[in-house]
Amino acid sequence: MPREWDTPIRGPWNGPIHNLLKAIDNHTQQYFLTGDEWHLQQATVLRVYVSGLKTWIHKQEGFKD
């Protein structure tokens, strides 16, 4: 069953966004396990990317930020 918030623009990005969020979680978990700040940096890079992607999606759909 399709998600109720799926749109033709958003649909192709749902899977990649889901995987990016999992990667952010993995990096955060690895930071807490190892203390390696590289993981925090990578999580931040991914958060910025996901935020930009979501902003782009909203603009394509005609929403204003």
Side-chain angles (χ1 to χ4, degrees):
M1 171 178 263
R3 296 178 172 166
E4 67 182 58
W5 61 86
D6 261 351
T7 67
I9 293 167
R10 186 176 301 221
W13 294 102
N14 284 335
I17 289 171
H18 176 76
N19 288 332
L20 287 161
L21 294 176
K22 288 194 311 186
I24 291 167
D25 289 345
N26 288 344
H27 278 297
T28 302
Q29 182 180 32
Q30 286 302 305
Y31 168 72
F32 286 120
L33 290 173
T34 68
D36 185 344
E37 291 199 9
W38 180 83
H39 289 291
L40 280 184
Q41 294 165 356
Q42 297 311 301
T44 298
V45 168
L46 294 174
R47 281 187 193 99
V48 169
Y49 175 76
V50 169
S51 177
L53 179 56
K54 287 182 172 185
T55 298
W56 176 83
I57 289 167
H58 290 162
K59 286 181 182 176
Q60 297 302 304
E61 292 174 330
F63 295 111
K64 295 184 183 197
D65 291 336

